[in-house]
Amino acid sequence: METTHYARLHDYHMHTRLCGHAVGELNEYVERAIALGLPEIGFSDHMPMTVWGAERDPTLSMTEADMATYVAWVEEARARYAGKITIRFGVEADYTKGRHRELRDYFDAYPFDYVIGSVHFIEGWSFDHPDHVEMWETRDVDEVYRAYFDLVVEAARSGMFQMLAHLDLVKKFGHRPSAALDMAGLGEGVADAVAASGAATEINTAGWYKPVGEQYPAGEFVRACVARGVPILLSSDAHDPGHVGRDFDRALVLATSLGATRAPVFEKRAVIGYRTYA
Ligand code: ZN
Ligand code: FE
Ligand code: FE
Ligand code: ZN
């Protein structure tokens, strides 16, 4: 295990088994992070889908009642590992058209250090869910891409998020748009919106383990974000304690080669400082 750089990094994108598709105990994620030498981590489990009026899919999110457990687990871990690691409390929230008030009320109802904005649904279709992958066969890939990036831009413009996750998640299963789709233009549009919102984004190493075999987002997206001053976090999107900080050495090399210089530290939904990569 390469641990050289971990003291300068933090991982804010980690799930818990409350979401129904992650494994292990929350304390195991923490212990893995401590073993790696990470000074700070944050949990960002999937928010309850019922908050935005969807029917809960037990393989995608916790219940609203589970939120109390989630808060308690993080508080217990903070007490148990005090002095060893800083633990932030976050959430990965699905941006949902027409549901801004419900989302904002939910973000205000819990002591979040940060909210990660994600797009996993296009008009109710969970396009990145392995159980719903067959829907791709009935869709025009360029149109799916356009709809997806429209939502990402809208999510950023909502101003509700401290970080936007996996900016090009739509590529997960390896569906690629035609040459007619202006990917560079879409990347610039997304980067403009993220920059204007003051949010950060991530290099998400989980993409290396998905069918697409590429980190999220592609290098051009990272470059477009960096050019506009958007800070780039490194994220594992851990759904297993063994994923914490996964491939951060490789991600750090990539991030710095693309011009990224620092990752923000969040507390109470504000940036309180940065860790620098150099
Ligand atoms: Zn997940
Ligand atoms: Fe996600
Ligand atoms: Fe995630
Ligand atoms: Zn994610």
Side-chain angles (χ1 to χ4, degrees):
M1 190 195 309
E2 172 64 71
T3 57
T4 317
H5 300 295
Y6 283 96
R8 297 194 253 125
L9 304 174
H10 50 278
D11 189 351
Y12 278 164
H13 196 155
M14 312 194 323
H15 293 272
T16 79
R17 62 179 169 78
L18 290 172
C19 69
H21 61 275
V23 297
E25 295 305 316
L26 185 139
N27 287 344
E28 296 179 89
Y29 289 72
V30 180
E31 284 170 20
R32 174 68 177 164
I34 292 169
L36 287 169
L38 286 167
E40 179 169 341
I41 52 170
F43 287 92
S44 56
D45 211 358
H46 299 282
M47 71 179 288
M49 301 171 65
T50 45
V51 169
W52 74 86
E55 192 186 329
R56 177 181 175 237
D57 177 339
T59 71
L60 288 179
S61 82
M62 65 178 84
T63 65
E64 291 184 58
D66 287 333
M67 281 300 298
T69 306
Y70 182 38
V71 172
W73 283 357
V74 171
E75 281 175 358
E76 283 162 23
R78 278 175 174 160
R80 180 192 290 240
Y81 301 104
K84 295 201 169 96
I85 192 165
T86 299
I87 304 174
R88 302 289 178 192
F89 179 63
V91 71
E92 181 171 3
D94 291 86
Y95 173 73
T96 317
K97 240 182 205 317
R99 294 284 177 167
H100 290 207
R101 206 194 56 216
E102 289 83 349
L103 293 174
R104 280 188 193 283
D105 287 350
Y106 167 76
F107 302 152
D108 289 342
Y110 295 94
F112 294 122
D113 289 312
Y114 57 90
V115 178
I116 300 180
S118 291
V119 173
H120 303 108
F121 293 90
I122 298 171
E123 289 172 6
W125 170 38
S126 172
F127 64 84
D128 73 323
H129 195 308
D131 290 354
H132 306 301
V133 69
E134 76 289 345
M135 181 71 88
W136 276 94
E137 306 313 317
T138 70
R139 298 289 184 109
D140 179 83
V141 173
D142 287 6
E143 274 168 24
V144 174
Y145 268 61
R146 263 188 231 103
Y148 170 78
F149 288 114
D150 279 354
L151 285 169
V152 174
V153 166
E154 221 182 283
R157 283 192 185 143
S158 76
M160 292 190 282
F161 306 112
Q162 281 67 58
M163 196 260 266
L164 276 297
H166 41 59
L167 288 178
D168 61 356
L169 178 65
V170 70
K171 73 185 177 185
K172 176 175 176 176
F173 296 115
H175 301 90
R176 292 296 192 177
S178 76
L181 195 73
D182 176 15
M183 280 300 291
L186 288 171
E188 285 167 16
V190 167
D192 283 342
V194 176
S197 80
T201 190
E202 62 176 4
I203 288 178
N204 182 317
T205 63
W208 284 325
Y209 298 88
K210 305 301 183 199
V212 69
E214 186 179 274
Q215 83 287 337
Y216 308 112
E220 312 87 82
F221 275 72
V222 177
R223 255 190 249 280
C225 287
V226 167
R228 289 159 178 79
V230 174
I232 311 291
L233 291 140
L234 307 188
S235 298
S236 66
D237 210 344
H239 285 75
D240 180 304
H243 297 168
V244 174
R246 184 162 58 162
D247 293 335
F248 271 20
D249 281 285
R250 181 180 171 193
L252 182 62
V253 169
L254 178 68
T256 53
S257 77
L258 294 167
T261 57
R262 60 184 190 165
V265 174
F266 298 126
E267 188 174 288
K268 295 183 173 29
R269 291 192 276 160
V271 177
I272 60 158
Y274 292 89
R275 278 198 181 81
T276 54
Y277 290 141

